[in-house]
Structure formats: C-alpha cells, structure tokens
Amino acid sequence: MSPSTVARAVVRRRRRSQLLRRASRGPLVLALAGALLAAGCAEPDYCETVGESQEAITEAVADGGPGALIGVLPELEALQASAPDDVADEWQQVVGRLEALRNALETADVAPEDYDPDEPPDDLSDDDRARITAAADDLASPATVQALASVEQQVRDVCQTPLYL
C-alpha cells in the first residue's frame, strides 16, 4: 500500500468515527434540550407572578419604612413558590429573613412601622429587643443582600423586567 492510500484510509476512518460520535450525541442533545424546556416551563408562571406582584412591591419599597418588605411578604412568598430552582436558595434567604423579623416583631407585639431601634417602645423586654435586633441584622447581612441582588438580576434576565427589592 502506498503512503497516500494509507493516509486516505486513515482520513476515512476518522471521518466515520466523527460521524458516529455525532450521531450518538443526537439523542443526548435532544434529551438535554427536552430537559431544559421542561425546566423552563416554570418560568412563564414565575414571570406572570412577577408581573402581578411588581406594582405592590415597587410601591412598598418606594414608601420605605421598616415594614416595607414585611407588608408585601405574601407577594414575596408567592414569588418564592413559583421561582425556578436556580434561585430557590436565594428566595429562601430573603423570605426566611423577612419572616424571622416579622415573627420577632409579632412576638413582641410591635408593628413594623412603629418600631424604631434607636427608640424602642418602653414596655419592650430585653429579650424581645434582642430577637428583633438579631432578625434585623440577619436581614441586613451580606448573604441576604447578595441574595436580594441575585433575585433582582435573575428576574431581569428571565422575565425581562426589573424587580426592585
């Protein structure tokens, strides 16, 4: 066999091998695409929930005050429930910290809008004040701030709309 014949045979074997590899990847690519589409099915519901909640959340944040996000906790819980898996942990961080603060305030029988850490109610016990302070500190922690930023970015990327928290 001449060197050129050997070279052609090697090239044909490589091409055949490449074609076989590509053909065997076809079902894998289709399976992955199907999985991605199935995972994306939650996004329309999520984006719909974002749209339904956006005005109330934006108004609450614009009004400000200590109870701003606690006042829209039901909307945030709905967003958490419909969120895609890739931001489930971030939503848990945000909603969990807000629920902890709400619970600390409720246990102390203090309305969020009435609580001022610099001038707490006279009848507030030291234990209640400590629980409220700890919950507020957790809400303002770097982990929660990062989770908020991640959620906002994800809503912009997936739903093509801003959500300001």
Side-chain angles (χ1 to χ4, degrees):
M1 232 189 247
S2 72
S4 64
T5 305
V6 171
R8 281 190 296 247
V10 168
V11 167
R12 274 193 300 258
R13 261 188 247 140
R14 284 185 185 157
R15 284 185 189 152
R16 190 175 322 131
S17 175
Q18 288 172 345
L19 288 173
L20 287 173
R21 277 195 305 259
R22 286 183 190 151
S24 67
R25 282 192 302 222
L28 176 62
V29 169
L30 288 175
L32 283 173
L36 288 173
L37 287 174
C41 287
E43 292 173 6
D45 291 340
Y46 179 58
C47 293
E48 185 176 312
T49 305
V50 167
E52 292 168 356
S53 305
Q54 194 170 27
E55 185 176 340
I57 293 170
T58 301
E59 287 177 9
V61 170
D63 290 344
L69 289 178
I70 292 175
V72 290
L73 195 51
E75 287 86 351
L76 297 174
E77 289 168 333
L79 286 168
Q80 177 188 18
S82 66
D85 290 341
D86 62 330
V87 289
D89 291 342
E90 288 82 355
W91 273 112
Q92 177 56 44
Q93 176 78 17
V94 171
V95 172
R97 296 306 179 260
L98 282 167
E99 289 172 336
L101 180 57
R102 179 200 59 202
N103 293 342
L105 289 164
E106 284 179 357
T107 299
D109 198 27
V110 176
E113 59 276 2
D114 295 337
Y115 184 74
D116 181 351
D118 295 327
E119 295 181 31
D122 293 333
D123 59 344
L124 188 66
S125 73
D126 290 340
D127 287 343
D128 284 340
R129 182 177 181 168
R131 274 192 291 275
I132 293 168
T133 300
D137 289 346
D138 285 346
L139 182 59
S141 73
T144 306
V145 170
Q146 178 58 51
L148 281 166
S150 295
V151 164
E152 288 175 345
Q153 183 63 50
Q154 194 267 354
V155 167
R156 277 192 299 275
D157 292 346
V158 172
C159 301
Q160 306 300 310
T161 189
L163 181 68
Y164 302 110
L165 298 172

